[in-house]
Amino acid sequence: MDHVMVDKFFKLFGQTPKTDITPMTIQDNGNSSVATVPTLYDLVKKNKLGDFKLKKGANIIFASVGAGMNINCVLYREK
């Protein structure tokens, strides 16, 4: 489902999604709902998710969905 959301977001803006754009942590950390967004950011900043890096000036969308229909989204520009 996560990759489907990313694909739809890119198509909304007339762009083609890249295959390596979205790091996922659910397979290792489970669905931690609200904590997913800051945990993912921390793992990327510490280079613990392979080649994923945050480039200066990049617009970043963090999103998570949890039990009880908690939906979290953060739009961020890396400085």
Side-chain angles (χ1 to χ4, degrees):
M1 181 174 165
D2 298 321
H3 292 288
V4 172
M5 290 188 293
V6 171
D7 289 346
K8 288 188 181 286
F9 178 80
F10 273 85
K11 288 178 184 174
L12 182 66
F13 290 95
Q15 297 181 13
T16 303
K18 298 177 184 175
T19 56
D20 63 347
I21 196 165
T22 309
M24 301 284 175
T25 59
I26 195 166
Q27 67 277 10
D28 297 319
N29 299 332
N31 187 353
S32 56
S33 188
V34 176
T36 298
V37 170
T39 301
L40 178 62
Y41 179 77
D42 183 64
L43 290 170
V44 171
K45 288 297 280 186
K46 292 179 178 175
N47 297 318
K48 293 187 176 182
L49 288 178
D51 294 333
F52 291 102
K53 297 190 187 301
L54 303 177
K55 297 177 183 175
K56 184 177 179 178
N59 293 314
I60 303 159
I61 300 172
F62 292 100
S64 66
V65 178
M69 290 310 296
N70 294 315
I71 300 171
N72 308 290
C73 183
V74 176
L75 303 175
Y76 176 75
R77 177 170 284 161
E78 182 67 17
K79 294 184 178 189

